[in-house]
Amino acid sequence: MAINYINNFQDLYSIYEGVDHYQNCPKCNRIVEPKLIACSKTYDIDEQPYLTLVLECSNVKCENLYLISYEIYTGYKKDILGYVSSYPYNFDAYKDVQVEQISTSFIKIYNEALEAETIGFLSICGAGYRKSLEFLIKDFIIFINTDNQSFNIEEVRSSKSVVKLIKKCIDNPKIVTAAEKAFWIGNDETHYEREWEDMNLQDLKNLIELVIYHIKMELVMNDYTEKLKR
Ligand SMILES: [Zn+2]
């Protein structure tokens, strides 16, 4: 590991643009003015350069050391830093009581993907989000068929084509559209070549959020339809 002995922000600013995120101490969660102890430039196997800052928190009750990693891109006048991860890292887990009633597996897998993304495992977290979506959809179909005597639960559990399942078992067109598109993007995260090149991880997460939103809306609607009958 090549240690570069830049130890003040002035020198860092003179070489790089996009030096940010360093003021959030991941240990005490405060906005601080950290001391730059050192920084290190390294390369991954694709020769993509990275810069890691070693910082000391200025909060006297904390004073912990922490790391911030950036990818380095060539810029016009200065090189540009793109935030990748921090260590230790703040991990804000996804929680939703209503969704948990439908699928605890979704919450578990989604949070594993979120954690992988938080620590910078960007190549694998997409596959995790896609898997979480499959559990959400299948568990939702099972959930809405709880009282359906002729419902074949095994067929849903073992189905290899979730998109077909969505179209067959879900009536709400908003859930069908959002879920189908989420699967298209999600499948891109697991394949060698991308079909939807303009779409990224954030789009996949947005679509999953949309699926959750419409599922929750449907459950609220069903609840009131049941309670307010004439
Ligand atoms: Zn701190």
Side-chain angles (χ1 to χ4, degrees):
M1 181 180 282
I3 297 286
N4 179 339
Y5 289 98
I6 295 174
N7 61 1
N8 66 77
F9 283 105
Q10 226 76 34
D11 290 350
L12 202 66
Y13 293 142
S14 68
I15 306 170
Y16 300 108
E17 267 178 41
V19 186
D20 47 21
H21 292 90
Y22 65 88
Q23 289 173 313
N24 298 307
C25 171
K27 201 79 184 179
C28 66
N29 275 329
R30 294 264 177 98
I31 303 290
V32 292
E33 290 178 27
K35 194 193 281 179
L36 180 61
I37 305 295
C39 65
S40 159
K41 189 175 176 182
T42 52
Y43 296 84
D44 69 7
I45 49 168
D46 296 324
E47 297 187 7
Q48 164 67 45
Y50 286 84
L51 188 77
T52 300
L53 310 183
V54 183
L55 300 148
E56 186 188 295
C57 176
S58 61
N59 175 6
V60 287
K61 288 183 179 164
C62 176
E63 291 184 337
N64 275 285
L65 293 179
Y66 60 98
L67 308 177
I68 304 280
S69 279
Y70 299 95
E71 282 183 315
I72 305 172
Y73 300 100
T74 308
Y76 174 59
K77 283 185 179 162
K78 295 176 188 176
D79 282 348
I80 300 162
L81 299 180
Y83 173 76
V84 176
S85 63
S86 58
Y87 185 83
Y89 55 89
N90 283 325
F91 172 57
D92 203 3
Y94 173 80
K95 293 184 199 94
D96 190 306
V97 180
Q98 231 181 334
V99 178
E100 207 166 336
Q101 284 173 350
I102 301 166
S103 180
T104 50
S105 301
F106 165 76
I107 303 270
K108 182 177 181 289
I109 302 163
Y110 187 91
N111 277 329
E112 285 179 9
L114 193 59
E115 192 168 357
E117 184 185 355
T118 307
I119 57 177
F121 292 156
L122 302 180
S123 315
I124 60 156
C125 56
Y129 286 126
R130 187 228 168 269
K131 182 173 178 175
S132 75
L133 181 65
E134 178 167 340
F135 275 76
L136 176 65
I137 293 296
K138 288 188 172 181
D139 286 345
F140 173 64
I141 293 170
I142 293 167
F143 183 82
I144 54 177
N145 283 286
T146 311
D147 300 327
N148 182 353
Q149 302 292 331
S150 58
F151 176 68
N152 187 344
I153 193 167
E154 267 323 302
E155 193 189 332
V156 172
R157 282 195 177 134
S158 62
S159 171
K160 295 280 185 279
S161 174
V162 187
V163 173
K164 273 188 195 157
L165 205 61
I166 291 166
K167 287 180 176 165
K168 187 181 166 195
C169 303
I170 300 175
D171 295 331
N172 184 329
K174 286 183 176 161
I175 301 175
V176 173
T177 308
E180 193 180 26
K181 290 184 193 310
F183 267 98
W184 293 347
I185 311 293
N187 286 339
D188 264 7
E189 295 292 336
T190 62
H191 294 155
Y192 194 93
E193 281 190 336
R194 295 190 82 86
E195 188 184 347
W196 305 90
E197 291 193 357
D198 295 342
M199 295 287 133
N200 57 31
L201 208 56
Q202 192 53 52
D203 294 306
L204 175 60
K205 287 167 72 181
N206 292 345
L207 283 162
I208 293 177
E209 206 179 310
L210 204 58
V211 173
I212 294 171
Y213 173 81
H214 289 304
I215 283 178
K216 288 171 72 172
M217 287 302 105
E218 175 159 317
L219 295 181
V220 173
M221 192 67 224
N222 289 351
D223 191 35
Y224 279 110
T225 309
E226 197 60 37
K227 283 177 185 163
L228 293 165
K229 277 182 182 165
R230 272 211 163 142

